[in-house]
Amino acid sequence: MTDRDILPDTFKPVHYDLVITDLDFTTWSYKGTVTIEGQLTKPTTEIVLNTLELKLLNSKIEISQSKSDQSWESSNFTEDTKSQRSTITFAEQLPASPKASLTVEFTGELNHDMAGFYRSQYKPVATPAASVPHDDEFYYMLSTQFESCDARRAFPCFDEPNLKATFDFAIEIPDDQVALSNMPVKETKPTTQGKKLVSFERSPIMSTYLLAWAVGDFEHIEAFTDREYNGKKIPVRVYTTRGLKEQGQWALQHAPKIIDYFSEQFEIDYPLPKSDILAVHEFTHGAMENWGLVTYRMTAILFDEKLSEARFRNRIAYVVAHELAHQWFGNLVTMDWWDELWLNEGFATWAGWLATDHLHPDWDVWPQFINEGMDQAFSLDAVRSSHPIQVEVRDALDVNQIFDKISYLKGCSMIRMLASHLGVKTFLKGIAIYLRKHQYSNAKTEALWAALSEASGTDVNTLMQNWIEKVGFPVLTVTEEDQRISVKQSRFLSTGDVKPEDDQTTWWVPLSLKGKTGSKGIEPLALTTKESTIDGVSNDFYQLNAGATGFYRVNYPESRLKRLGTQLDHLTTEDKIFITGSAADLAFSGHATTAALLSFVQGLKQETHYRVLSQALDSLATIKSIFGDDEQVKAGLEKFTLEVIDNALKTVGWEAKEGEDFNTGLLRKRLLLTAVSNSHEEIRKGAFERWSAHQANPEQSPIPANLRAPVYHSAIVTDPANAVAALKKEWYTTPAIDGKEICLQALGRTTDVEVIKKVLLPFLFNSSPPAAAADSIPGADMHILSGMFAGNRAARPLMWAYIRDNWDEFTGKLAGNPILVDRMINVSLPKFNDLETLKEIEAFFAGKDTKGFDRTLEQVKDKIRGRAAYRTRDAEGVKQWLVSNGYT
């Protein structure tokens, strides 16, 4: 990309020496001095570096020359807040030099925006150390979040991923608190009374966004790797604020094993002397892969054996693996620029699932990825306003928007597809070559393809170039003759309105054909042209994309799809999930009919696998959300849904059985929640009885963690005003780490309009202060409730009206972190089904500055267009199918 907005190349940093002092918990400020050693590449009077919300006080540059050293001072600073840069101007020209040292003194803010060097509020579960800052409501810990472009909020720096350097870091803190950073502590010495300066060992060469530190009332638990590294086992610690450390045990059981596993698989030992994990009370994302000090959202790392819901075991194991994969893929080797973020995130996502599958083969994590990750990637990439995996990124606000899961989930799907084609062992051999060649440096996608080509003998770039550089994915349309099929690829759009200019790409498509005459396995055929014919295909049974490793949809003739619904014994779990998802997407876009999807799902009535039923129920929920404003259709879909789950629901029941597997517990929750949502009177009654007993005597009648969601939902349905009040109170007081998330999800199911207007919308959008903390959801969690409201027919228009009528209040609450604004637009608006609301949205934002969420807004509008077109096109067909099959 030629128009990247990057720093001038006048100064090339090689080392930072950063010292933070004078933490002020009254004004929430600090002082800092950074000395940046590097190369002054050309004569200049100006040095430009990145800053944001910092005040520069003084600067000095020392330059080594052959005869003598010279120095110049300057306090002439010009700040450009839009470009997030400051220019230091010197009174005379500085000579070029291979050795220069720039020192800047500055002050900064301990903000509450979850970006840069920031404070997190929490309610302690044990008496904190005396110096821990607090107010009437909360205590506070301090930590950093620098990815993608927020190191510049904490200290002046050259904040671009390919400007790597080493770092020395020291911070002055109260005596009774703990400081953490990427490296082990080097030295601690007293400063003024009650304070100490903690210095850390020098880091490896790395990007600024990977530097991290934290200060707080921390305690830890510790374990060690089984393998030795340079003669020593690596210490792995989980740090929490006081009283929570034992909830890190589940993560600690995994992290050392994953470090060993990746060290072996990648053929490069974990490169740092320690691996720390820190639970952060307020966090924008799920976790951040800071080298040697990985930070996490609380629910992504802590697990209470008595109170936490079982699904969080899976989440924690995966997220720990994902972040540890980054220690190699992203930290050791970093993408050259943000347009290739997928090199970090796509690989870490794939490797995270690989390691989770290695440790928990009974969890069926690849079916989980197809159901959750791959399906979401299809949804994101099916809109006209999607973007290629390798996307143009101009500046910091552009970067924020590419954390939209295309890089994560489609990137992972690309790697999974390629690894399946090459063979996982060969693929990992190529990864090892790539890491060895580019360690402690930056790389581009072509370097990965070259390493994989070297390992496999395959021209990987030819296979993958269009997948990475072009937008979208194909649908394969199949036509049948006697023992022959023809397959044609074309771009898939969920709106169904593909134009010639949209359909210019020819992808390499691995067909993975099962059912070729004379073959019992999967034929590794590939489609490399727009259309091809395959002979010798069984008339009785065949299947494309067996194993669901290819990233495309398959549009079978309707009669073939119906037949596959009677041949489930020929299909793997992955196949059933993929075919169901394909049928749903094809119905949505108009390539096929909803009737064909419903007929296929009819065949799943005896299915008991959690992931297969989840995919089917996801599809039915989408249909209900689009066509369910017709009460007759809604009732028919609910009756059909209850019939689909009836066998599985009777099998799992309410109570867990001794020795049942992990997925059965997850299935129970999903089925009970589905039953409540679809008016199953017996289940609703049983769930509400449990709620009532719990309200009357919480200690005597606790609600098991895995039953909270269906029980809470039944209360919301049966007694909304009282249930909302009780759940809102529980949200504020719950000791369960995941309790707040579960309460917000339940509250989002409220359909009582007055309760939504008077209680829940203010709760969602209020800022605290001035609102009481109990009446204001923190910005990091707003998407949980708003995402539920978006899927709630009663709440959706009320939430949009509130955002529209209170835009300044909305953006004011989230102003410090543009990622949160982007996320809220993304989750709040895409589920409208009518063009009238789309026109309102377009008119409203036409007069607004949308920089920072403009890409996301276009995707939202495309999603609404697709839903509106689907409703107009297929409403009558859905009703007819329900009538003809006896559901209404």
Side-chain angles (χ1 to χ4, degrees):
M1 184 178 176
T2 56
D3 63 342
R4 284 180 190 160
D5 190 11
I6 60 176
L7 291 167
D9 61 357
T10 310
F11 192 101
K12 294 289 187 182
V14 296
H15 177 71
Y16 291 78
D17 188 345
L18 173 63
V19 181
I20 301 291
T21 62
D22 296 277
L23 300 176
D24 189 323
F25 301 144
T26 302
T27 61
W28 296 114
S29 63
Y30 61 93
K31 295 179 181 178
T33 301
V34 62
T35 298
I36 311 171
E37 297 173 8
Q39 177 186 4
L40 201 59
T41 61
K42 62 187 72 171
T44 184
T45 57
E46 296 181 343
I47 295 178
V48 182
L49 70 175
N50 293 116
T51 64
L52 181 62
E53 297 172 2
L54 300 175
K55 182 178 181 181
L56 306 189
L57 305 176
N58 299 291
S59 72
K60 178 180 180 181
I61 189 164
E62 297 180 77
I63 296 177
S64 297
Q65 295 183 304
S66 57
K67 295 182 180 179
S68 64
D69 294 345
Q70 289 182 278
S71 65
W72 293 262
E73 295 187 7
S74 175
S75 56
N76 185 353
F77 306 115
T78 305
E79 182 181 12
D80 182 343
T81 55
K82 185 176 181 181
S83 67
Q84 302 178 0
R85 293 176 188 161
S86 286
T87 300
I88 307 172
T89 302
F90 293 89
E92 57 186 277
Q93 189 175 73
L94 309 175
S97 173
K99 190 174 182 182
S101 179
L102 173 68
T103 298
V104 182
E105 296 176 359
F106 63 97
T107 61
E109 301 174 17
L110 297 168
N111 70 69
H112 199 189
D113 298 324
M114 294 172 288
F117 187 16
Y118 73 95
R119 65 188 190 270
S120 294
Q121 63 188 35
Y122 68 98
K123 289 187 171 294
V125 298
T127 303
S131 73
V132 177
H134 63 92
D135 53 32
D136 292 341
E137 293 270 11
F138 298 107
Y139 283 72
Y140 293 88
M141 61 167 282
L142 308 176
S143 60
T144 59
Q145 171 61 40
F146 291 164
E147 189 180 24
S148 50
C149 302
D150 282 313
R152 64 193 65 175
R153 286 193 195 226
F155 65 104
C157 58
F158 298 88
D159 197 14
E160 294 176 0
N162 56 12
L163 298 178
K164 286 190 168 186
T166 54
F167 293 82
D168 286 332
F169 176 71
I171 188 166
E172 183 186 44
I173 66 170
D175 273 337
D176 57 357
Q177 293 194 49
V178 175
L180 304 171
S181 189
N182 306 78
M183 299 297 287
V185 172
K186 176 182 179 181
E187 180 185 30
T188 300
K189 59 184 181 182
T191 54
T192 59
Q193 185 175 1
K195 293 185 179 181
K196 59 188 177 183
L197 185 72
V198 184
S199 303
F200 295 86
E201 301 282 354
R202 181 166 295 188
S203 78
I205 186 170
M206 64 185 188
S207 303
T208 47
Y209 78 88
L210 294 170
L211 180 65
W213 63 85
V215 177
D217 185 33
F218 302 142
E219 56 182 8
H220 71 271
I221 52 176
E222 184 177 58
F224 292 85
T225 57
D226 290 332
R227 293 173 84 248
E228 290 190 349
Y229 300 77
N230 296 320
K232 296 180 180 179
K233 297 183 179 225
I234 299 287
V236 182
R237 293 178 172 182
V238 178
Y239 283 87
T240 69
T241 51
R242 193 183 302 268
L244 294 174
K245 67 178 182 179
E246 291 306 319
Q247 296 186 40
Q249 290 288 355
W250 179 249
L252 194 62
Q253 290 176 34
H254 290 75
K257 295 177 183 176
I258 293 167
I259 289 171
D260 286 345
Y261 177 71
F262 285 152
S263 294
E264 293 169 357
Q265 297 299 313
F266 304 156
E267 299 179 19
I268 293 181
D269 282 354
Y270 177 78
L272 296 189
K274 57 99 171 172
S275 177
D276 288 343
I277 286 167
L278 174 64
V280 180
H281 284 274
E282 292 187 278
F283 206 80
T284 311
H285 296 292
M288 175 59 211
E289 65 268 20
N290 315 299
W291 216 354
L293 176 60
V294 183
T295 46
Y296 291 81
R297 177 180 281 254
M298 302 291 280
T299 52
I301 200 63
L302 300 186
F303 188 87
D304 187 318
E305 293 290 341
K306 293 181 179 178
L307 298 177
S308 293
E309 193 176 308
R311 67 187 169 96
F312 287 93
R313 291 188 189 276
N314 173 279
R315 183 185 185 191
I316 291 165
Y318 164 72
V319 176
V320 168
H322 177 110
E323 301 306 323
L324 287 174
H326 274 308
Q327 308 301 292
W328 288 264
F329 231 95
N331 299 7
L332 183 65
V333 180
T334 310
M335 78 267 142
D336 185 66
W337 180 248
W338 296 108
D339 57 350
E340 298 185 279
L341 177 67
W342 88 276
L343 283 173
N344 288 16
E345 298 301 346
F347 183 83
T349 303
W350 179 80
W353 288 121
L354 186 75
T356 306
D357 185 50
H358 171 72
L359 294 175
H360 297 283
D362 56 311
W363 283 3
D364 279 353
V365 301
W366 290 117
Q368 177 184 355
F369 173 72
I370 298 166
N371 171 217
E372 295 178 353
M374 194 168 163
D375 202 62
Q376 188 180 350
F378 279 129
S379 176
L380 288 165
D381 206 29
V383 295
R384 182 172 277 107
S385 53
S386 181
H387 60 77
I389 290 178
Q390 191 169 312
V391 60
E392 291 187 355
V393 177
R394 176 172 168 77
D395 56 24
L397 289 176
D398 271 353
V399 175
N400 291 334
Q401 294 185 80
I402 64 169
F403 284 86
D404 64 355
K405 303 298 184 182
I406 289 284
S407 58
Y408 291 72
L409 300 178
K410 186 180 179 183
C412 175
S413 299
M414 297 301 96
I415 288 170
R416 182 170 173 264
M417 179 168 69
L418 185 58
S420 175
H421 178 71
L422 300 178
V424 173
K425 288 185 177 180
T426 300
F427 181 82
L428 285 169
K429 181 181 176 183
I431 293 302
I433 293 170
Y434 170 81
L435 291 172
R436 281 196 300 272
K437 284 186 176 181
H438 303 283
Q439 57 187 320
Y440 302 107
S441 187
N442 298 80
K444 298 183 179 183
T445 297
E446 291 81 1
L448 176 61
W449 296 158
L452 291 168
S453 297
E454 181 181 336
S456 66
T458 300
D459 183 358
V460 172
N461 185 65
T462 297
L463 302 184
M464 298 303 296
Q465 185 173 13
N466 281 349
W467 285 107
I468 302 303
E469 296 179 3
K470 304 295 185 182
V471 66
F473 63 91
V475 55
L476 303 192
T477 300
V478 184
T479 55
E480 299 179 353
E481 300 176 49
D482 184 33
Q483 296 191 12
R484 171 186 293 176
I485 59 173
S486 292
V487 183
K488 180 180 181 180
Q489 63 164 289
S490 55
R491 183 178 172 191
F492 179 86
L493 284 177
S494 58
T495 44
D497 57 345
V498 177
K499 301 171 184 175
E501 59 266 29
D502 297 322
D503 192 25
Q504 297 297 308
T505 305
T506 301
W507 287 274
W508 164 75
V509 183
L511 294 175
S512 301
L513 173 66
K514 190 191 290 184
K516 203 162 190 313
T517 305
S519 172
K520 293 184 179 179
I522 298 172
E523 290 291 310
L525 305 176
L527 181 65
T528 56
T529 57
K530 277 290 187 182
E531 190 169 4
S532 184
T533 299
I534 305 170
D535 292 319
V537 177
S538 169
N539 290 334
D540 177 52
F541 170 83
Y542 72 88
Q543 177 197 358
L544 292 173
N545 204 16
T549 56
F551 191 73
Y552 56 91
R553 288 311 197 186
V554 180
N555 185 15
Y556 294 105
E558 187 166 336
S559 59
R560 175 60 58 183
L561 180 63
K562 189 171 184 179
R563 190 166 190 168
L564 285 169
T566 68
Q567 299 174 318
L568 299 179
D569 56 328
H570 288 20
L571 303 176
T572 65
T573 297
E574 292 88 340
D575 295 335
K576 294 174 193 175
I577 296 168
F578 175 78
I579 292 171
T580 305
S582 261
D585 280 356
L586 293 164
F588 189 102
S589 64
H591 283 85
T593 65
T594 311
L597 165 63
L598 294 171
S599 295
F600 181 80
V601 171
Q602 258 188 324
L604 300 175
K605 292 177 186 177
Q606 300 306 307
E607 183 62 58
T608 58
H609 194 287
Y610 170 51
R611 298 296 170 187
V612 177
L613 282 172
S614 284
Q615 186 72 54
L617 294 174
D618 292 344
S619 302
L620 293 176
T622 298
I623 296 170
K624 184 179 175 183
S625 75
I626 291 174
F627 302 103
D629 51 355
D630 182 318
E631 289 297 326
Q632 182 185 1
V633 169
K634 178 185 173 186
L637 287 169
E638 289 185 348
K639 184 177 180 180
F640 176 57
T641 300
L642 294 179
E643 184 178 282
V644 170
I645 69 171
D646 183 64
N647 174 63
L649 184 58
K650 288 175 179 175
T651 300
V652 301
W654 276 96
E655 305 298 332
K657 299 173 180 62
E658 187 175 349
E660 73 178 18
D661 63 28
F662 177 74
N663 280 328
T664 299
L666 301 185
L667 176 63
R668 177 177 295 105
K669 175 203 164 183
R670 179 70 193 261
L671 294 177
L672 290 170
L673 188 57
T674 300
V676 172
S677 299
N678 288 276
S679 308
H680 191 301
E681 291 303 322
E682 181 184 341
I683 297 298
R684 277 190 179 179
K685 181 181 177 183
F688 190 68
E689 287 172 354
R690 286 167 168 80
W691 167 265
S692 300
H694 177 69
Q695 292 299 300
N697 194 329
E699 291 187 8
Q700 198 170 49
S701 302
I703 301 171
N706 280 7
L707 297 183
R708 280 181 294 178
V711 169
Y712 291 177
H713 187 21
S714 73
I716 288 289
V717 170
T718 309
D719 186 13
N722 289 324
V724 164
L727 287 171
K728 193 163 165 281
K729 180 180 178 181
E730 183 175 333
W731 168 84
Y732 190 63
T733 60
T734 178
I737 290 296
D738 59 355
K740 289 184 184 294
E741 186 170 319
I742 292 166
C743 287
L744 291 176
Q745 289 171 338
L747 289 168
R749 299 178 188 278
T750 308
T751 57
D752 186 300
V753 170
E754 289 304 305
V755 172
I756 294 169
K757 283 183 176 179
K758 294 179 179 178
V759 180
L760 291 178
L761 286 175
F763 177 48
L764 175 59
F765 292 109
N766 280 347
S767 292
S768 174
D775 294 321
S776 172
I777 300 173
D781 290 342
M782 287 176 68
H783 67 284
I784 301 172
L785 181 56
S786 61
M788 295 300 295
F789 273 173
N792 176 334
R793 185 170 286 103
R796 186 188 308 134
L798 299 176
M799 180 170 61
W800 159 235
Y802 196 102
I803 293 172
R804 182 193 63 211
D805 297 342
N806 300 274
W807 179 250
D808 290 342
E809 177 188 339
F810 167 71
T811 54
K813 182 173 180 177
L814 304 176
N817 196 323
I819 290 173
L820 299 181
V821 179
D822 181 71
R823 179 186 294 163
M824 281 293 291
I825 296 299
N826 186 42
V827 301
S828 300
L829 301 180
K831 292 189 177 179
F832 285 101
N833 305 320
D834 63 288
L835 295 178
E836 292 76 16
T837 305
L838 175 62
K839 289 177 183 176
E840 283 184 23
I841 291 170
E842 288 178 323
F844 177 78
F845 284 109
K848 298 289 183 291
D849 179 5
T850 61
K851 179 65 174 175
F853 61 89
D854 50 338
R855 291 177 193 259
T856 297
L857 183 60
E858 290 307 311
Q859 292 166 8
V860 162
K861 290 190 280 189
D862 274 347
K863 289 175 182 178
I864 296 173
R865 291 184 188 103
R867 292 172 68 91
Y870 186 21
R871 188 177 72 162
T872 300
R873 183 182 60 249
D874 230 7
E876 192 56 37
V878 171
K879 182 179 286 188
Q880 286 180 3
W881 188 91
L882 291 169
V883 169
S884 63
N885 284 272
Y887 295 107
T888 184

